[in-house]
């Protein structure tokens, strides 16, 4: 699955010493992206880089622009200015279809699963495999099972279970597995653990980690610092539409990240004081 | 099973990899029923109850050979109409105008045959085309303009009655005497043909079910135990063959003539059932229909054209309503100004819901229309035999529809309570 060229490095848990640029292959790079909704300038010159095999946590307070940034990547909002590079070449993402074709999968907070369909049917929804005009149920079931096995999903007993009978954590698992089913390179997870209990959060975080370890570039949006510090390799903090800082997880503490989120700066990190102040 | 190769997958999906045995399949099924997945159970219980009830009340007439055949032809129009409504109900929408649309299409067909002297096939194609046009209009108003389907079809419920009235003229009826059309509900297949079809369909069903079971077993996919597959095949075959046997008995009231065989409308419904089931269960379109009905937002994000799907179901419903109108015209040998009005639609919605199609969308099958259509026909027929007054007939039928909708709502509540 890894593209030819440089070997993938920077797996989880690798100690310090790696320069930021050396860690993994940049898959998706946003440079100087701006986005306004009418008079409201939501994203200011945002730079955002995702690397293969890494979990990038995207943090920020409500209204910092996390969702807008994600929707720009997903093709739901066109960007006003700036460049999106995918695999080193500039791309235009004009709609959700474009994003999916590039290999960008988004797992939204409200999951987007159909309760009345089973796991296989949900995972292939909208992209069913067929033989002629007939659905190829056998091939889809095999591929779904294979994907779940690859991600070591043990919480789901049968792939022919209806989604309505699953727990919140299992539903999240199915939604994430759905994103990994396609040869996707970028998987964006919008608050995957927000509504989950302790054990289920554990399962989902493990899955997020395995997603990166199987070669995906993962974006994890979360408000929960424990989750962020547990699985992410890097953290991008947004503050009022600007990137306050992009840091390695091992270089910062909980407290620093919280300061970046709430004030846009923390010690040497973050926006210059004037810049942080003027956007308020 | 060897321990080396499929180890990982087997450990992950231990319950899933192997074929279920009968016991666990039955307990799974029972768990689903308790969780509110009632399926065909209410319809089958209702059928059994009604047959016992009316046999008890009218022992000499209800189960007479003539009346049983009559039941089938009586169920034809409502079943076809209900089958179209299943598609609409799957999206959680409603088509209140399907009944009167069938009236308009019946009138178009009758006028073309009687006034313009067109052959039956031209009239039938024209009637179905009118149905599809009506459905397209409804679909456009609902899915593009975004008027609630309830309002659009309520307006058409009135408007289309006006069209029927205009076509036929005040208080009149148009007689339908075309041989082919009349034969649909009034003539029977030759007995040998009935038996041949019954046997072929039984064998075909058995073959497809067993072939599927074998394929799933060989590829290690999720499947039912062979005993249950066989039992299911057996039940379907017995019903088909027994039905053919009953309908092949001479039911003529006088010994001078013979009247026997399966009414021609029955294979028509069978063909529609097979096509509708195939479309819903085996094609991407059918899958998308269920997805839109279950979670329209999920379907939209999955790249499904929700607008087009929503439009298509109204076209299917009105197209099948046209077929239903033709069969109804055949049964009555005429089309009247009030064809398809009155309780036609109520019966059809009732049939779909009694059969197990949910009013909330996302759940339903083509066969629901058959089961529910039979229940409705038995109620209508039985009340007729009892000589129940019109007022009581309305009360009882309305009550049955409410009961079915109540069961639907309660089982839905049960599902959402047990899920998650």
């Amino acid at each position: 699955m890894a593209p030819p060229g440089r070997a993938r490095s920077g797996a989880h848990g690798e100690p310090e010493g790696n320069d930021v640029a050396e860690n993994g292959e940049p898959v998706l790079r946003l440079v100087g992206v701006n986005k306004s909704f009418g008079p409201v300038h939501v994203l200011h010159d945002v730079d955002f880089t995702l690397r293969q095999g890494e979990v990038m946590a995207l943090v920020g307070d409500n209204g910092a622009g996390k969702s807008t940034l994600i929707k720009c990547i997903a093709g739901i909002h066109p960007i006003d200015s700036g460049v999106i590079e995918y695999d080193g070449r500039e791309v235009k993402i004009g709609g959700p279809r474009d994003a999916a074709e590039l290999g960008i999968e988004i797992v939204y907070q409200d999951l987007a699963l159909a309760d009345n369909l089973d796991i296989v049917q949900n995972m292939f929804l909208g992209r069913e495999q067929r033989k002629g005009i007939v659905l190829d149920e056998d091939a889809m079931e095999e591929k779904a099972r294979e994907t779940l096995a690859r991600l070591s999903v043990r919480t789901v007993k049968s792939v022919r279970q209806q989604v309505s009978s699953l727990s919140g954590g299992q539903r999240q698992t199915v939604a994430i597995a759905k994103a990994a089913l396609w040869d996707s390179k970028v998987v964006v997870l919008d608050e995957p653990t927000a509504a989950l209990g302790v054990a289920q959060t554990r399962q989902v975080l493990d899955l997020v980690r395995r997603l990166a370890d199987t070669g995906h570039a993962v974006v994890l949006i979360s408000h929960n610092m424990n989750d962020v510090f547990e699985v992410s390799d890097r953290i991008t903090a947004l503050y009022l539409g600007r990137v306050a800082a992009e840091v390695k997880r091992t270089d910062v503490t909980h407290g620093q990240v919280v300061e970046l989120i709430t004030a846009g700066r923390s010690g040497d990190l973050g926006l210059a004081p004037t810049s942080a102040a003027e956007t308020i | 099973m060897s321990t080396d190769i499929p180890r990982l997958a087997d450990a992950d999906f231990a319950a899933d990899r192997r074929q279920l045995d009968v016991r666990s399949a039955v307990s799974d099924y029972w768990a689903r029923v308790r969780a509110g997945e009632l399926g065909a159970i209410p319809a089958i219980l209702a059928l059994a109850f009604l047959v016992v009830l009316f046999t008890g009340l009218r022992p000499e007439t209800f189960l007479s050979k003539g009346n049983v055949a009559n039941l089938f032809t009586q169920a034809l129009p409502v079943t076809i109409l209900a089958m179209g409504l299943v598609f609409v109900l799957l999206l959680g929408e409603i088509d209140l105008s399907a009944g009167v649309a069938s009236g308009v299409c019946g009138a178009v067909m009758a006028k073309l045959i009687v006034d313009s002297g067109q052959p039956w096939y031209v009239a039938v194609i024209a009637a179905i085309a009118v149905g599809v046009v009506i459905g397209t209009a409804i679909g456009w108003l609902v899915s593009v303009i975004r008027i609630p389907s309830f309002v659009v079809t309520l307006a058409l419920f009135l408007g289309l009655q006006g069209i029927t009235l205009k076509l036929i003229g005040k208080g009149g009826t148009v007689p339908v005497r075309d041989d082919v059309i009349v034969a649909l509900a009034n003539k029977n297949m030759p007995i040998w043909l009935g038996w041949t079809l019954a046997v072929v369909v039984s064998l075909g069903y058995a073959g497809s079910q067993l072939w599927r079971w074998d394929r799933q077993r060989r590829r290690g996919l999720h499947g039912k135990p062979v005993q249950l597959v066989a039992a299911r095949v057996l039940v379907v075959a017995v019903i088909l063959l027994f039905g053919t046997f009953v309908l092949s008995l001479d039911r003529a009231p006088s010994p001078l003539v013979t009247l026997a065989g399966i009414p021609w409308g029955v294979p028509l419904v069978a063909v529609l059932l097979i096509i509708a089931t195939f479309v819903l269960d085996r094609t991407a379109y059918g899958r998308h229909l269920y997805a839109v009905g279950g979670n329209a937002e999920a379907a939209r994000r999955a790249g499904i054209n929700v607008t087009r799907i929503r439009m298509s179901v109204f076209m299917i419903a009105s197209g099948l309503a046209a077929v239903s109108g033709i069969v109804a015209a055949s049964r009555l040998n005429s089309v009247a100004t009030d064809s398809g009005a009155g309780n036609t639609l109520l019966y059809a919605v009732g049939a779909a819901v009694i059969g197990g199609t949910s009013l909330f969308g996302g759940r339903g099958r083509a066969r629901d229309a058959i089961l529910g259509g039979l229940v409705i026909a038995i109620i209508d027929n039985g009340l007729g035999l009892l000589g129940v007054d019109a007022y009581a007939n309305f009360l009882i039928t309305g009550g049955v529809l409410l009961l079915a909708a109540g069961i639907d709502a309660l089982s839905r509540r049960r599902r959402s309570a047990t899920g998650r």
Side-chain angles (χ1 to χ4, degrees):
Chain A
M1 201 177 279
R6 282 156 57 188
R8 183 159 62 81
S9 64
H12 177 56
E14 199 163 305
E16 70 290 341
N18 277 342
D19 187 56
V20 164
E22 274 175 33
N23 260 349
E25 194 88 10
V27 181
L28 184 73
R29 191 203 298 270
L30 277 67
V31 183
V33 166
N34 282 283
K35 175 71 194 170
S36 300
F37 294 108
V40 187
H41 200 163
V42 184
L43 296 179
H44 295 262
D45 296 326
V46 169
D47 297 338
F48 189 56
T49 306
L50 297 178
R51 293 172 190 82
Q52 204 176 22
E54 279 194 357
V55 177
M56 168 69 89
L58 183 60
V59 297
D61 218 337
N62 291 336
K66 302 188 299 283
S67 299
T68 308
L69 180 59
I70 290 318
K71 283 177 178 165
C72 289
I73 296 175
I76 294 171
H77 297 323
I79 57 174
D80 296 341
S81 66
V83 175
I84 300 180
E85 276 177 22
Y86 188 85
D87 264 349
R89 64 196 162 83
E90 191 179 339
V91 291
K92 289 264 177 289
I93 304 178
R97 287 253 175 199
D98 292 356
E101 264 167 42
L102 286 172
I104 300 172
E105 294 284 330
I106 319 276
V107 181
Y108 293 97
Q109 199 172 3
D110 47 356
L111 298 179
L113 298 176
D115 267 359
N116 57 334
L117 300 180
D118 67 30
I119 293 174
V120 179
Q121 292 169 341
N122 263 294
M123 285 174 72
F124 279 88
L125 190 59
R127 292 182 274 195
E128 290 84 2
Q129 294 186 357
R130 308 174 204 188
K131 274 185 197 158
I133 58 163
V134 184
L135 293 172
D136 191 352
E137 293 286 350
D138 296 359
M140 288 195 279
E141 188 176 325
E142 277 173 350
K143 202 168 165 197
R145 188 177 275 125
E146 190 185 294
T147 303
L148 288 166
R150 180 156 49 89
L151 295 170
S152 307
V153 172
R154 286 191 182 75
T155 53
V156 182
K157 271 296 167 218
S158 165
V159 291
R160 286 296 181 189
Q161 229 175 322
Q162 275 205 355
V163 165
S164 61
S165 68
L166 299 180
S167 71
Q170 290 172 326
R171 296 161 70 91
Q172 190 71 57
T173 302
V174 171
I176 295 173
K178 178 184 179 182
L181 174 68
W182 310 98
D183 285 333
S184 52
K185 289 188 177 166
V186 177
V187 177
V188 180
L189 305 166
D190 188 5
E191 303 223 25
T193 60
L196 302 183
V198 176
Q200 296 184 335
T201 299
R202 173 82 265 132
Q203 290 162 3
V204 169
L205 290 180
D206 286 349
L207 184 57
V208 170
R209 194 58 245 172
R210 274 195 299 275
L211 213 49
D213 293 344
T214 49
H216 297 85
V218 182
V219 181
L220 173 71
I221 298 179
S222 183
H223 277 125
N224 184 326
M225 282 307 126
N226 291 326
D227 292 359
V228 167
F229 273 83
E230 198 167 331
V231 294
S232 67
D233 298 297
R234 265 163 226 278
I235 301 168
T236 295
L238 284 179
Y239 179 73
L240 297 174
R242 291 169 198 275
V243 175
E246 189 204 307
V247 292
K248 287 187 72 173
R249 179 204 46 151
T250 45
D251 295 346
V252 289
T253 63
H254 278 47
Q256 283 177 303
V257 175
V258 171
E259 277 183 38
L260 285 171
I261 292 170
T262 52
R265 52 179 289 101
S266 168
D268 301 339
L269 289 169
L271 300 163
T274 47
S275 159
E278 85 189 10
T279 48
I280 294 174
Chain B
M1 193 174 275
S2 72
T3 47
D4 44 355
I5 307 154
R7 186 101 187 248
L8 179 68
D10 199 55
D12 289 340
F13 302 103
D16 179 74
R17 267 286 175 185
R18 289 162 206 141
Q19 297 262 317
L20 296 168
D21 57 31
V22 176
R23 202 201 187 115
S24 63
V26 169
S27 75
D28 270 13
Y29 177 72
W30 182 235
R32 281 209 307 279
V33 169
R34 285 170 51 102
E37 304 275 348
L38 296 179
I41 293 176
I44 289 169
L45 289 181
L47 274 178
F49 170 75
L50 289 169
V51 168
V52 170
L53 178 74
F54 287 125
T55 312
L57 291 172
R58 284 288 176 274
E60 66 287 355
T61 45
F62 180 70
L63 278 188
S64 68
K65 285 170 281 186
N67 195 48
V68 169
N70 194 23
L71 263 178
F72 278 93
T73 46
Q74 211 167 352
L76 290 176
V78 65
T79 299
I80 299 171
L81 198 58
M83 207 179 287
L85 282 169
V86 166
F87 284 80
V88 175
L89 292 175
L90 270 178
L91 294 198
E93 305 277 354
I94 186 76
D95 184 354
L96 298 175
S97 66
V100 289
S102 79
V104 170
C105 298
V108 166
M109 178 202 68
K111 291 289 276 185
L112 279 175
I113 290 176
V114 175
D115 289 3
S116 320
Q118 297 289 338
W120 66 270
Y121 48 87
V122 172
V124 165
I125 290 170
I128 293 174
V130 168
V132 172
V133 168
I134 292 172
T136 311
I138 299 172
W140 184 75
L141 289 168
V142 172
S143 61
V144 180
I145 306 295
R146 304 291 289 153
I147 309 173
S149 58
F150 172 76
V151 177
V152 172
T153 56
L154 189 60
L156 262 82
F157 174 74
L158 291 174
L160 291 177
Q161 290 187 64
I163 292 183
T164 313
L165 201 58
K166 177 74 185 151
L167 277 174
I168 293 182
K170 277 182 200 132
T173 58
V174 181
V176 177
R177 296 212 182 80
D178 182 87
D179 286 342
V180 176
I181 302 292
V182 169
L184 259 185
N186 295 298
K187 291 281 190 312
N188 305 308
M189 295 161 76
I191 289 174
W192 64 267
L193 183 58
W195 277 111
T196 313
L197 276 184
V199 170
V200 166
V201 171
S202 300
L203 287 178
Y205 183 70
S208 73
Q209 291 290 312
L210 290 173
W211 181 62
R212 183 160 154 211
W213 170 81
D214 182 56
R215 213 182 53 222
Q216 286 172 335
R217 183 183 54 88
R218 272 188 289 111
R219 291 177 75 162
L221 299 175
H222 187 77
K224 288 194 179 63
V226 69
Q227 294 92 329
L228 287 193
V229 175
R232 187 174 180 166
V233 166
L234 204 66
V235 167
V236 169
V238 164
I239 290 172
L240 276 174
L241 297 175
F242 182 72
T244 311
F245 168 73
V246 169
L247 291 172
S248 298
L249 296 173
D250 182 12
R251 53 179 178 267
S254 110
L256 298 175
V257 288
T258 44
L259 178 61
I262 300 171
W264 278 105
V266 172
L268 171 70
V269 170
V271 168
L272 290 176
L273 172 70
I274 291 170
I275 294 175
T277 305
F278 175 81
V279 167
L280 287 178
D281 288 359
R282 296 268 166 266
T283 67
Y285 170 76
R287 181 65 40 83
H288 294 172
L289 239 164
Y290 281 100
V292 174
N295 186 344
E297 180 59 20
R300 195 182 62 76
R301 285 182 189 167
I304 294 168
N305 188 337
V306 176
T307 307
R308 217 184 62 201
I309 296 270
R310 204 169 263 142
M311 193 143 168
S312 68
V313 294
F314 288 101
M315 294 164 72
I316 291 171
S318 299
L320 282 172
V323 178
S324 160
I326 293 165
V327 175
S330 162
R331 191 167 155 257
L332 302 173
N333 293 318
S334 67
V335 179
T337 48
D338 64 345
S339 287
N343 54 14
T344 311
L345 179 89
L346 190 80
Y347 276 178
V349 174
V353 176
I354 291 168
T357 297
S358 173
L359 288 165
F360 302 97
R363 274 161 218 277
R365 314 195 54 186
R367 65 138 200 250
D368 296 349
I370 309 283
L371 290 171
L374 279 175
V375 170
I376 290 286
I378 289 177
I379 293 174
D380 197 33
N381 177 288
L383 292 180
L385 291 179
L386 293 178
V388 171
D389 287 335
Y391 82 89
N393 199 331
F394 278 121
L395 280 175
I396 292 169
T397 319
V400 168
L401 176 57
L402 269 187
L403 184 66
I407 292 172
D408 176 29
L410 287 177
S411 61
R412 174 181 143 98
R413 251 177 56 182
R414 179 111 198 165
R415 278 196 301 270
S416 54
T418 43
R420 309 195 189 191

